Amino acid sequence: LTAARDELRRLRAAGQAGEGSAIIRIEPGEYFLKETLILTAEDSGTFESPVGWIGPGHGLVRISGGMAVTAWSKVPGRKQLRVSDLSAQGLKDFGKLSRRGFGRDIVPSGLELFSNDRVMPLARHPNEGWLKVGHVEEASNPPRFQFEDPISKKWKGPFKDLWLHGYWSWDWADSHDPVTRFDPGTGTFEMPQVASWYGVKEGARFAILNCLEALDAPGEWWLDRERGLLYFWPPSDIRKARVAVSVMDRPLIEIKGARHIQFEGVILEAGRDSGIRISDSEQCAIQGSVIRNFGTQGAVLEGGRDCAVRSCDIYGVGDTGVVLSGGDRATLSLGGHRADNNDIHHFGRWDRTYRPGIQVNGVRMLILRNHIHDAPHNAI
């Protein structure tokens, strides 16, 4: 894709192509990006002749921030599990789990796993529902609380990089937090700091994440970051499955300070950050496409004016589906970005509160004919 961009720039510089009047047809196939495709003012089109990056649709063009995973082997004593050495396949950067949630900045996720184009759940206990906080030691430093659970009481460890996800005080404020010490016998957790802005309350709901001993259901996975070994309970025959992990920790596509550029008929997928970011640009769009399985947001339109996310399917993102932000509230100059005729669902996978299907800021954002469903909190 960068070669196509650079060729158009070369043709224009040589006087063989004018401003606008260009269509870059993306042939069917899978394009694994190792760096963001960045388009700027020199890649712009005109109002009469926008530059189109056009795929054939029908799922035939996949632009991915991930890497296919192969070479699975059985795990002795765990007949359902398979393991793959990611380090041996050239992947060294696994990212990291980060404190995230209510009131915190959106940050790229660590590595995530996908099977047959669906996000697989990080090993979690319980598999469904929540545990309950018991006695909270108010004066403890670091914070410490206890809970009752007959299953985790039997775990032996060792516990590497254990995390908790909880609604620690209110059901509109969740966060992910690391564990500094876990005693399964007494059901005691210690965390390095207060888990949320509002502390930890008795009776709050939470779950245990990223624990090998919690890997007990189809679809779950766990990564030994020290050794680069990925453990997975495949929900279907792994020999026939399409398995990938996310690698890119930047947006797959960035359009910055450009005009009249359109993407159409493509799938953007499998990154640790977002799918596409359009900033300080005018009349740029992504349409008729799929944006799925990202660690943060689907599409971000910020600054500039009159850009659009149109007729797209957006799902499986860790935070917000679409962000529209533009215009000037002091002068009431118009932003005019729009989200039109999109199907937005299964968002808010990581941060489950205040990460809406569509987030709007600024002046005159247009939200038309969208279907927003299957998510834990706000639609708009």
Side-chain angles (χ1 to χ4, degrees):
L1 299 179
T2 55
R5 176 201 64 191
D6 294 344
E7 175 66 6
L8 179 57
R9 290 178 178 177
R10 186 192 69 79
L11 290 170
R12 285 177 167 177
Q16 297 175 276
E19 185 180 12
S21 305
I23 294 178
I24 298 173
R25 297 202 178 276
I26 308 174
E27 289 296 306
E30 190 160 12
Y31 299 82
F32 289 103
L33 301 190
K34 294 184 179 180
E35 60 183 26
T36 302
L37 173 64
I38 298 176
L39 304 176
T40 63
E42 63 182 315
D43 305 301
S44 297
T46 64
F47 179 80
E48 295 81 10
S49 302
V51 172
W53 292 71
I54 310 297
H58 308 292
L60 296 178
V61 167
R62 303 164 69 114
I63 302 174
S64 174
M67 180 189 85
V69 179
T70 57
W72 296 95
S73 58
K74 296 181 178 181
V75 177
R78 297 286 301 273
K79 65 178 183 179
Q80 302 95 337
L81 295 191
R82 298 294 182 268
V83 62
S84 182
D85 188 340
L86 298 183
S87 297
Q89 296 171 64
L91 183 58
K92 306 296 183 183
D93 179 7
F94 308 122
K96 62 180 181 179
L97 296 170
S98 301
R99 287 176 58 83
R100 58 191 297 173
F102 177 82
R104 302 187 185 279
D105 293 336
I106 291 178
V107 296
S109 69
L111 173 145
E112 294 191 282
L113 177 66
F114 316 97
S115 180
N116 291 332
D117 305 325
R118 293 178 56 199
V119 183
M120 296 291 102
L122 184 61
R124 180 189 194 271
H125 177 71
N127 295 323
E128 301 288 341
W130 305 88
L131 302 168
K132 295 290 185 180
V133 172
H135 174 66
V136 179
E137 299 183 32
E138 296 290 349
S140 65
N141 187 17
R144 185 183 303 115
F145 71 87
Q146 294 176 316
F147 71 106
E148 292 291 334
D149 177 54
I151 296 176
S152 60
K153 188 180 290 287
K154 300 176 183 178
W155 291 352
K156 304 298 182 183
F159 303 106
K160 299 180 180 179
D161 200 17
L162 199 65
W163 284 72
L164 302 179
H165 175 218
Y167 293 79
W168 299 113
S169 186
W170 308 105
D171 276 346
W172 41 262
D174 70 314
S175 68
H176 291 78
D177 301 276
V179 173
T180 51
R181 191 175 77 85
F182 173 44
D183 183 344
T186 61
T188 302
F189 277 116
E190 285 184 0
M191 292 178 285
Q193 54 186 305
V194 175
S196 77
W197 299 102
Y198 307 102
V200 181
K201 291 185 178 180
E202 185 173 338
R205 54 188 172 131
F206 74 98
I208 303 169
L209 298 179
N210 200 44
C211 179
L212 179 59
E213 293 191 69
L215 205 171
D216 59 1
E220 289 191 319
W221 62 277
W222 180 78
L223 175 63
D224 184 339
R225 281 178 157 76
E226 294 178 3
R227 303 168 63 194
L229 298 178
L230 177 63
Y231 293 86
F232 180 36
W233 184 333
S236 60
D237 188 345
I238 201 165
R239 295 169 297 181
K240 301 177 182 178
R242 176 189 183 88
V243 182
V245 293
S246 59
V247 177
M248 276 273 291
D249 60 1
R250 296 284 300 164
L252 261 61
I253 297 171
E254 283 196 72
I255 302 175
K256 303 193 295 187
R259 295 184 176 188
H260 308 293
I261 296 175
Q262 297 178 357
F263 276 83
E264 183 174 343
V266 300
I267 295 175
L268 307 182
E269 62 183 2
R272 299 177 190 175
D273 196 284
S274 53
I276 184 169
R277 183 177 293 270
I278 303 174
S279 59
D280 301 320
S281 298
E282 294 186 20
Q283 296 193 352
C284 294
I286 181 166
Q287 57 195 29
S289 295
V290 176
I291 305 172
R292 67 186 180 195
N293 301 343
F294 286 94
T296 62
Q297 299 149 314
V300 179
L301 280 55
E302 56 186 3
R305 59 182 298 166
D306 299 328
C307 296
V309 181
R310 184 183 300 114
S311 300
C312 290
D313 294 339
I314 302 169
Y315 59 90
V317 296
D319 292 296
T320 302
V322 176
V323 177
L324 306 178
S325 178
D328 188 311
R329 294 179 71 153
T331 64
L332 293 186
S333 63
L334 303 182
H337 300 324
R338 65 173 59 206
D340 187 358
N341 194 44
N342 302 292
D343 189 5
I344 306 171
H345 58 95
H346 293 91
F347 51 90
R349 291 190 294 104
W350 279 105
D351 300 341
R352 292 175 57 88
T353 52
Y354 294 100
R355 298 292 189 254
I358 302 176
Q359 177 180 317
V360 288
N361 300 288
V363 183
R364 196 175 182 264
M365 303 297 123
L366 305 178
I367 301 172
L368 311 167
R369 297 180 290 266
N370 297 280
H371 184 201
I372 305 173
H373 57 99
D374 288 283
H377 204 205
N378 310 98
I380 301 173

mmCIF file of all heavy atoms in Angstrom, residues 226-245:
data_model
loop_
_atom_site.group_PDB
_atom_site.id
_atom_site.type_symbol
_atom_site.label_atom_id
_atom_site.label_comp_id
_atom_site.label_asym_id
_atom_site.label_seq_id
_atom_site.Cartn_x
_atom_site.Cartn_y
_atom_site.Cartn_z
ATOM 1 N N GLU A 226 7.349 -14.118 29.077
ATOM 2 C CA GLU A 226 8.788 -14.337 29.250
ATOM 3 C C GLU A 226 9.331 -15.286 28.195
ATOM 4 O O GLU A 226 10.455 -15.114 27.705
ATOM 5 C CB GLU A 226 9.069 -14.887 30.649
ATOM 6 C CG GLU A 226 8.757 -13.897 31.769
ATOM 7 C CD GLU A 226 9.012 -14.507 33.132
ATOM 8 O OE1 GLU A 226 9.484 -15.670 33.194
ATOM 9 O OE2 GLU A 226 8.744 -13.819 34.142
ATOM 10 N N ARG A 227 8.552 -16.277 27.828
ATOM 11 C CA ARG A 227 9.007 -17.298 26.888
ATOM 12 C C ARG A 227 8.387 -17.167 25.502
ATOM 13 O O ARG A 227 8.799 -17.869 24.561
ATOM 14 C CB ARG A 227 8.711 -18.690 27.461
ATOM 15 C CG ARG A 227 9.350 -18.933 28.825
ATOM 16 C CD ARG A 227 8.805 -20.180 29.482
ATOM 17 N NE ARG A 227 9.114 -21.374 28.724
ATOM 18 C CZ ARG A 227 8.532 -22.561 28.917
ATOM 19 N NH1 ARG A 227 7.577 -22.682 29.820
ATOM 20 N NH2 ARG A 227 8.885 -23.601 28.197
ATOM 21 N N GLY A 228 7.415 -16.300 25.361
ATOM 22 C CA GLY A 228 6.768 -16.118 24.074
ATOM 23 C C GLY A 228 5.862 -17.261 23.674
ATOM 24 O O GLY A 228 5.606 -17.471 22.486
ATOM 25 N N LEU A 229 5.328 -17.995 24.652
ATOM 26 C CA LEU A 229 4.486 -19.156 24.374
ATOM 27 C C LEU A 229 3.010 -18.785 24.535
ATOM 28 O O LEU A 229 2.593 -18.284 25.591
ATOM 29 C CB LEU A 229 4.832 -20.308 25.313
ATOM 30 C CG LEU A 229 6.251 -20.851 25.200
ATOM 31 C CD1 LEU A 229 6.475 -21.963 26.224
ATOM 32 C CD2 LEU A 229 6.539 -21.353 23.795
ATOM 33 N N LEU A 230 2.239 -19.028 23.493
ATOM 34 C CA LEU A 230 0.816 -18.716 23.473
ATOM 35 C C LEU A 230 0.023 -19.998 23.686
ATOM 36 O O LEU A 230 0.108 -20.935 22.884
ATOM 37 C CB LEU A 230 0.438 -18.083 22.138
ATOM 38 C CG LEU A 230 -1.042 -17.763 21.918
ATOM 39 C CD1 LEU A 230 -1.530 -16.726 22.924
ATOM 40 C CD2 LEU A 230 -1.284 -17.289 20.486
ATOM 41 N N TYR A 231 -0.753 -20.050 24.777
ATOM 42 C CA TYR A 231 -1.600 -21.202 25.096
ATOM 43 C C TYR A 231 -3.041 -20.868 24.719
ATOM 44 O O TYR A 231 -3.540 -19.783 25.043
ATOM 45 C CB TYR A 231 -1.511 -21.544 26.575
ATOM 46 C CG TYR A 231 -0.157 -22.046 27.011
ATOM 47 C CD1 TYR A 231 0.855 -21.165 27.371
ATOM 48 C CD2 TYR A 231 0.114 -23.413 27.044
ATOM 49 C CE1 TYR A 231 2.106 -21.622 27.755
ATOM 50 C CE2 TYR A 231 1.365 -23.887 27.431
ATOM 51 C CZ TYR A 231 2.350 -22.988 27.786
ATOM 52 O OH TYR A 231 3.592 -23.451 28.153
ATOM 53 N N PHE A 232 -3.721 -21.822 24.076
ATOM 54 C CA PHE A 232 -5.038 -21.542 23.499
ATOM 55 C C PHE A 232 -5.895 -22.794 23.552
ATOM 56 O O PHE A 232 -5.426 -23.901 23.237
ATOM 57 C CB PHE A 232 -4.841 -21.080 22.050
ATOM 58 C CG PHE A 232 -6.100 -20.743 21.293
ATOM 59 C CD1 PHE A 232 -7.188 -20.130 21.905
ATOM 60 C CD2 PHE A 232 -6.186 -21.004 19.928
ATOM 61 C CE1 PHE A 232 -8.327 -19.804 21.198
ATOM 62 C CE2 PHE A 232 -7.324 -20.691 19.211
ATOM 63 C CZ PHE A 232 -8.388 -20.088 19.848
ATOM 64 N N TRP A 233 -7.156 -22.632 23.971
ATOM 65 C CA TRP A 233 -8.145 -23.692 23.880
ATOM 66 C C TRP A 233 -9.007 -23.370 22.670
ATOM 67 O O TRP A 233 -9.949 -22.588 22.762
ATOM 68 C CB TRP A 233 -8.993 -23.756 25.143
ATOM 69 C CG TRP A 233 -9.989 -24.893 25.177
ATOM 70 C CD1 TRP A 233 -10.569 -25.515 24.123
ATOM 71 C CD2 TRP A 233 -10.518 -25.520 26.351
ATOM 72 N NE1 TRP A 233 -11.428 -26.495 24.536
ATOM 73 C CE2 TRP A 233 -11.417 -26.521 25.907
ATOM 74 C CE3 TRP A 233 -10.337 -25.326 27.712
ATOM 75 C CZ2 TRP A 233 -12.134 -27.316 26.802
ATOM 76 C CZ3 TRP A 233 -11.048 -26.127 28.597
ATOM 77 C CH2 TRP A 233 -11.934 -27.117 28.153
ATOM 78 N N PRO A 234 -8.715 -23.904 21.508
ATOM 79 C CA PRO A 234 -9.439 -23.508 20.296
ATOM 80 C C PRO A 234 -10.898 -23.952 20.358
ATOM 81 O O PRO A 234 -11.198 -25.077 20.757
ATOM 82 C CB PRO A 234 -8.679 -24.226 19.175
ATOM 83 C CG PRO A 234 -7.966 -25.348 19.849
ATOM 84 C CD PRO A 234 -7.660 -24.903 21.241
ATOM 85 N N PRO A 235 -11.820 -23.072 19.953
ATOM 86 C CA PRO A 235 -13.237 -23.436 19.968
ATOM 87 C C PRO A 235 -13.641 -24.339 18.806
ATOM 88 O O PRO A 235 -14.762 -24.842 18.781
ATOM 89 C CB PRO A 235 -13.937 -22.078 19.880
ATOM 90 C CG PRO A 235 -12.963 -21.208 19.160
ATOM 91 C CD PRO A 235 -11.603 -21.671 19.570
ATOM 92 N N SER A 236 -12.746 -24.506 17.840
ATOM 93 C CA SER A 236 -13.000 -25.400 16.706
ATOM 94 C C SER A 236 -11.674 -26.027 16.289
ATOM 95 O O SER A 236 -10.623 -25.723 16.859
ATOM 96 C CB SER A 236 -13.626 -24.623 15.535
ATOM 97 O OG SER A 236 -12.752 -23.595 15.094
ATOM 98 N N ASP A 237 -11.704 -26.894 15.308
ATOM 99 C CA ASP A 237 -10.509 -27.590 14.849
ATOM 100 C C ASP A 237 -9.450 -26.582 14.416
ATOM 101 O O ASP A 237 -9.624 -25.869 13.425
ATOM 102 C CB ASP A 237 -10.871 -28.504 13.679
ATOM 103 C CG ASP A 237 -9.712 -29.409 13.263
ATOM 104 O OD1 ASP A 237 -8.565 -29.154 13.666
ATOM 105 O OD2 ASP A 237 -9.965 -30.384 12.521
ATOM 106 N N ILE A 238 -8.363 -26.515 15.162
ATOM 107 C CA ILE A 238 -7.359 -25.487 14.900
ATOM 108 C C ILE A 238 -6.649 -25.710 13.566
ATOM 109 O O ILE A 238 -6.079 -24.793 12.989
ATOM 110 C CB ILE A 238 -6.341 -25.416 16.063
ATOM 111 C CG1 ILE A 238 -5.637 -24.058 16.049
ATOM 112 C CG2 ILE A 238 -5.345 -26.575 16.003
ATOM 113 C CD1 ILE A 238 -4.907 -23.736 17.317
ATOM 114 N N ARG A 239 -6.704 -26.929 13.057
ATOM 115 C CA ARG A 239 -6.078 -27.212 11.763
ATOM 116 C C ARG A 239 -6.834 -26.540 10.626
ATOM 117 O O ARG A 239 -6.278 -26.293 9.553
ATOM 118 C CB ARG A 239 -6.011 -28.715 11.528
ATOM 119 C CG ARG A 239 -5.108 -29.464 12.519
ATOM 120 C CD ARG A 239 -5.295 -30.954 12.407
ATOM 121 N NE ARG A 239 -6.662 -31.349 12.750
ATOM 122 C CZ ARG A 239 -7.094 -32.608 12.760
ATOM 123 N NH1 ARG A 239 -6.264 -33.597 12.425
ATOM 124 N NH2 ARG A 239 -8.341 -32.884 13.094
ATOM 125 N N LYS A 240 -8.102 -26.216 10.857
ATOM 126 C CA LYS A 240 -8.914 -25.566 9.831
ATOM 127 C C LYS A 240 -9.205 -24.104 10.167
ATOM 128 O O LYS A 240 -9.824 -23.406 9.362
ATOM 129 C CB LYS A 240 -10.243 -26.319 9.673
ATOM 130 C CG LYS A 240 -10.074 -27.781 9.279
ATOM 131 C CD LYS A 240 -11.421 -28.474 9.215
ATOM 132 C CE LYS A 240 -11.269 -29.959 8.866
ATOM 133 N NZ LYS A 240 -12.581 -30.654 8.843
ATOM 134 N N ALA A 241 -8.760 -23.669 11.335
ATOM 135 C CA ALA A 241 -9.087 -22.311 11.790
ATOM 136 C C ALA A 241 -8.088 -21.291 11.263
ATOM 137 O O ALA A 241 -6.926 -21.606 11.003
ATOM 138 C CB ALA A 241 -9.130 -22.272 13.307
ATOM 139 N N ARG A 242 -8.545 -20.071 11.161
ATOM 140 C CA ARG A 242 -7.706 -18.936 10.809
ATOM 141 C C ARG A 242 -7.382 -18.214 12.112
ATOM 142 O O ARG A 242 -8.234 -17.568 12.718
ATOM 143 C CB ARG A 242 -8.480 -18.032 9.855
ATOM 144 C CG ARG A 242 -7.770 -16.746 9.466
ATOM 145 C CD ARG A 242 -8.748 -15.858 8.708
ATOM 146 N NE ARG A 242 -8.083 -14.655 8.251
ATOM 147 C CZ ARG A 242 -7.440 -14.559 7.090
ATOM 148 N NH1 ARG A 242 -7.408 -15.595 6.279
ATOM 149 N NH2 ARG A 242 -6.838 -13.453 6.742
ATOM 150 N N VAL A 243 -6.141 -18.318 12.563
ATOM 151 C CA VAL A 243 -5.744 -17.777 13.863
ATOM 152 C C VAL A 243 -4.705 -16.681 13.653
ATOM 153 O O VAL A 243 -3.763 -16.835 12.873
ATOM 154 C CB VAL A 243 -5.169 -18.876 14.775
ATOM 155 C CG1 VAL A 243 -4.817 -18.311 16.146
ATOM 156 C CG2 VAL A 243 -6.172 -20.024 14.923
ATOM 157 N N ALA A 244 -4.881 -15.553 14.349
ATOM 158 C CA ALA A 244 -3.959 -14.426 14.235
ATOM 159 C C ALA A 244 -3.851 -13.719 15.570
ATOM 160 O O ALA A 244 -4.724 -13.860 16.445
ATOM 161 C CB ALA A 244 -4.425 -13.449 13.154
ATOM 162 N N VAL A 245 -2.785 -12.950 15.734
ATOM 163 C CA VAL A 245 -2.619 -12.089 16.899
ATOM 164 C C VAL A 245 -2.383 -10.660 16.418
ATOM 165 O O VAL A 245 -1.882 -10.429 15.320
ATOM 166 C CB VAL A 245 -1.447 -12.535 17.793
ATOM 167 C CG1 VAL A 245 -1.743 -13.879 18.439
ATOM 168 C CG2 VAL A 245 -0.136 -12.583 17.024
#
